[in-house]
Amino acid sequence: MDTTTWVWVISILISGLFFLGVPIFLVIGLWVVGISLVIDFTLANVGVTLYEGLNFYGLLALPLFILTGDLIKEAGIAKRLSDFAYSILGWLRGGLAMSSLVACGLFSAISGSNSATTATIGSIMHPEMTKGGYDKHFAAATIAAGGTVGIIIPPSIIFIVYGFLMNLSISDLFVGGLLPGILMVVSMCIACYLVCKTKGWGNLIPFSPKNIALKGAQAYLGFLAIIIVIYGIYGGVFSPTEAAGVTCGFCLLSGVFITKGITIKRIPDVLLRSGQITGLLAPLIAVSVVMQQILSLLGAKDYITEIIGSLGGYYPILLACMLLVFITGTFLESLPDTIILAPILAPIAANIGIDPIHFAVIFLVGDAIGFITPPYGLNLYVASGITGIPYFRIVRHVWPYFIALMIAWFIIAFWPSLTTVLLVHEGAGVFQLYKP
């Protein structure tokens, strides 16, 4: 067989392993080794690329933000943020479910991880929603959908990776994701309200400014952590990596000395849990970088560029890029999807005049929607794991959120100022629209 045939045979066989449930790291790793042997790509170079794929200072923020997420859960800060959100929205039908979505947004503003957001807020809010008269399947779908903003609202682990790949300012990426992330939360809250209003789900609590003030005061540590991250980075006080370290230290000290939710004996367990998550993500980043390099050698970049570029016109190319991101996002985790596709699609978008920060947000919002779409749907698996509800029962109830997120995605794509208005970009304005 010729080289092309071998590439197809290996790709099909490896895809079969993916659908059988083999971990994505092993799937990509086996594909990399197999294709390297076929095209005579030296395995020594694979080893070097694996090392260089992680040899980037900015990636140090990744384990620190993961640890921050575990610390704010352990310290009880996440629960206080959830209580504050409920005090604001509890008087509305579906208020507890909507407060779960807002809590996901607040948690995301500290942790930067979709799976951590789903797991943490889900473990707190799912039992409360079930007791509060919500369908347990819908409650699980709510926390799965809420977790999608974990990689959009800054700080975001995947924005760090994207900035590393495309040589973009991570601070600008963080700022660019803020308003789109808020829009995603608002759109999901609207969908949640409509569903709960129709079904009559949720017990109501009186609207009380006094209770809101009380819960807000109790959640002050969470707000301080958010301010440290957002103001520290946007104000130029910290780099993203430094902000991750400072926030991590703040949450640790708060948990030990203020809330006393973290004991000295528990710290090793928290560090170990965060280290395990980092140990899963870091090798995946490294092997995905090698995969992207091999795809370039195979001519995939030129092939995709030629096909999408031949469509002609601003909107057809933009929609084609979005469709490709959406399709791959349903099958791949956000890290390999970003590492493989971003270097291919970003130059295409730049050629038709899309701001690179804006396209990064478009790309990653589409990627985030993949967290609640089968067959992959990482957040659905996480929600299933913490609630004990079968995966496909959650899928049946996630569609209102999927529709809401798709609408938000198109608004973000065709209203670039939503991303760029907070950046120092010449000509950026709140009502600016790109003109092809």
Side-chain angles (χ1 to χ4, degrees), residues 322-368:
M322 293 173 67
L323 178 62
L324 185 57
V325 170
F326 175 74
I327 292 174
T328 55
T330 63
F331 290 95
L332 289 177
E333 209 276 335
S334 59
L335 282 174
D337 192 26
T338 299
I339 293 170
I340 293 166
L341 273 187
I344 298 175
L345 297 183
I348 298 174
N351 286 339
I352 61 172
I354 299 180
D355 183 279
I357 302 296
H358 179 219
F359 184 75
V361 174
I362 295 173
F363 186 103
L364 293 174
V365 169
D367 229 5

Side-chain angles (χ1 to χ4, degrees), residues 21 75 165 250 318 327-328:
L165 287 172
F250 171 79
L318 174 58
I327 292 174
T328 55

Side-chain angles (χ1 to χ4, degrees), residues 55-133:
N55 188 23
F56 172 60
Y57 173 74
L59 288 180
L60 287 175
L62 187 147
L64 291 171
F65 278 128
I66 291 173
L67 178 57
T68 298
D70 285 329
L71 289 171
I72 62 176
K73 176 186 178 182
E74 198 74 21
I77 297 174
K79 179 64 169 65
R80 296 183 184 190
L81 290 172
S82 300
D83 291 342
F84 171 68
Y86 185 45
S87 70
I88 297 176
L89 299 170
W91 61 280
L92 294 169
R93 181 65 65 186
L96 184 57
M98 287 190 286
S99 68
S100 299
L101 296 169
V102 173
C104 285
L106 293 173
F107 186 89
S108 300
I110 308 172
S111 71
S113 167
N114 64 289
S115 56
T117 300
T118 300
T120 301
I121 302 301
S123 63
I124 296 170
M125 299 301 288
H126 186 265
E128 297 297 323
M129 281 190 279
T130 303
K131 294 176 186 175

